[in-house]
Amino acid sequence: FRPFMPTSLPITDPVLIFALAMGIFLLAPVIFERMKVPGLVGLIFFGAVVGPNVLILLARDFTFELLGQVGLLYLVFLAGLELDLNRFNEYRQRSIVFGILSFGVPMGLAVGVMPFLGFSYPAAILIGAIIGSHTLLAYPVVSRLGIVKNPAVITVIGGTLVTDTLALTVLAVVAGSMAGDLDAMFWVRLFGILAVYVLVVVVSVPRVGRWFFRNVPSQAPAEFIFLMAVLFGVAWAAKLAGAEPIIGAFLAGLTLNRLIPLNSPLMTRVRFVGNALFIPFFLLSVGMLVDPRVLVESVEVWTIAAA
């Protein structure tokens, strides 16, 4: 018997990789929350430290890409499940206005400024879409604080869906224009097929959900697995319709929203699995994308950031 000693980095032993990830999930939030910083920031920070750009302990390989994608979809799905639909309908106009403004202002500034820094107009538009869109990265903090029903939070969640939809539409149009595919069929695929997809999901998922919860005996594993099947099935179908999976994940959460009470045991299990496993993997995966060296080695990065 010889003790295991890693001879090269990054680590490739799956047991050690998972053990290291679990250790980070345990320690990072504790350390950062003692410094009055949200624990999710700690997960991103540790992801950067152990990732391929600093200590190279872990590679952002297919496993981390898969778990990161799953965590992102789970996060958006959870936001859709927990959203107060009655208040969302009440504030939907605010969400639309907020989403358009928070996307349009950065987009306009990027298109106006980036060409002076040497970027082409298509590149400037893409940068504007990146800056103009935002995610629900801080949603676990909002959920833990119990302020999901706050009007500002509801407005921002709805606005996030608006900004992400606009950003992904811009990405599709720019990519299509560069490939020379902006014909009539492109617009049919972009909007026509997507509209059919949304209609099918909105009509069918609640009906399937009501049938399942009415006819299948109440069992914790079966109920949870059903939600996961709906989440990833609807997210995958979004790709077929020409949209991104996060749009499908949010739509899946919205369509199942009224079937799962916020204080039910099933919702408790959904929150627990997400906060303990899937969402931390997403945050760790995000951190592994960060390359701190560019902040030291590239003056252009600071110029672009300042602009």
Side-chain angles (χ1 to χ4, degrees):
F1 172 77
R2 292 192 309 170
F4 169 76
M5 291 294 292
T7 57
S8 62
L9 296 177
I11 298 170
T12 57
D13 184 273
V15 177
L16 184 56
I17 291 174
F18 203 77
L20 181 58
M22 292 299 107
I24 293 173
F25 297 167
L26 175 65
L27 295 177
V30 173
I31 294 172
F32 274 70
E33 285 173 5
R34 284 183 177 274
M35 298 187 293
K36 307 300 181 182
V37 177
L40 62 87
V41 177
L43 292 171
I44 296 174
F45 175 82
F46 271 85
V49 171
V50 303
N53 297 310
V54 182
L55 297 181
I56 322 178
L57 293 178
L58 298 175
R60 196 174 187 274
D61 54 13
F62 174 77
T63 301
F64 276 98
E65 291 179 5
L66 171 64
L67 293 173
Q69 178 77 353
V70 168
L72 173 60
L73 297 179
Y74 199 97
L75 174 64
V76 177
F77 174 70
L78 184 59
L81 275 183
E82 291 189 324
L83 190 63
D84 187 333
L85 290 182
N86 293 326
R87 303 199 74 183
F88 179 70
N89 289 331
E90 181 182 350
Y91 295 113
R92 67 178 182 275
Q93 191 169 8
R94 295 186 187 183
S95 293
I96 293 172
V97 172
F98 171 75
I100 292 174
L101 286 176
S102 64
F103 180 83
V105 173
M107 170 63 78
L109 291 173
V111 173
V113 172
M114 290 297 113
F116 291 102
L117 298 177
F119 291 88
S120 65
Y121 276 104
I125 292 172
L126 286 180
I127 292 172
I130 292 170
I131 300 172
S133 62
H134 49 81
T135 70
L136 297 172
L137 191 65
Y139 183 80
V141 177
V142 172
S143 179
R144 189 173 69 250
L145 293 176
I147 56 174
V148 174
K149 295 186 177 182
N150 183 284
V153 173
I154 293 173
T155 300
V156 169
I157 291 175
T160 301
L161 183 61
V162 173
T163 62
D164 289 357
T165 302
L166 291 173
L168 295 170
T169 302
V170 168
L171 173 61
V173 172
V174 171
S177 67
M178 299 300 290
D181 294 334
L182 291 183
D183 53 10
M185 282 304 300
F186 171 85
W187 299 106
V188 170
R189 289 194 303 269
L190 184 62
F191 294 111
I193 298 176
L194 184 60
V196 172
Y197 159 78
V198 172
L199 180 62
V200 170
V201 171
V202 170
V203 172
S204 63
V205 170
R207 293 183 178 182
V208 173
R210 281 191 291 269
W211 178 89
F212 179 87
F213 290 115
R214 187 183 303 120
N215 294 280
V216 176
S218 178
Q219 297 177 356
E223 291 177 340
F224 182 80
I225 292 171
F226 170 75
L227 294 185
M228 295 301 97
V230 172
L231 161 59
F232 294 108
V234 173
W236 173 77
K239 294 187 69 174
L240 297 182
E244 286 296 312
I246 58 172
I247 304 297
F250 190 75
L251 190 60
L254 288 180
T255 52
L256 291 171
N257 181 288
R258 298 188 187 278
L259 302 180
I260 307 172
L262 283 178
N263 297 321
S264 65
L266 178 57
M267 181 61 80
T268 301
R269 288 190 288 269
V270 170
R271 291 194 189 104
F272 173 78
V273 173
N275 293 329
L277 189 63
F278 289 144
I279 295 174
F281 263 115
F282 163 61
L283 297 172
L284 188 67
S285 175
V286 169
M288 294 171 74
L289 290 171
V290 176
D291 187 355
R293 293 173 298 181
V294 300
L295 299 177
V296 179
E297 299 173 357
S298 175
V299 176
E300 184 184 15
V301 170
W302 291 98
T303 304
I304 294 172

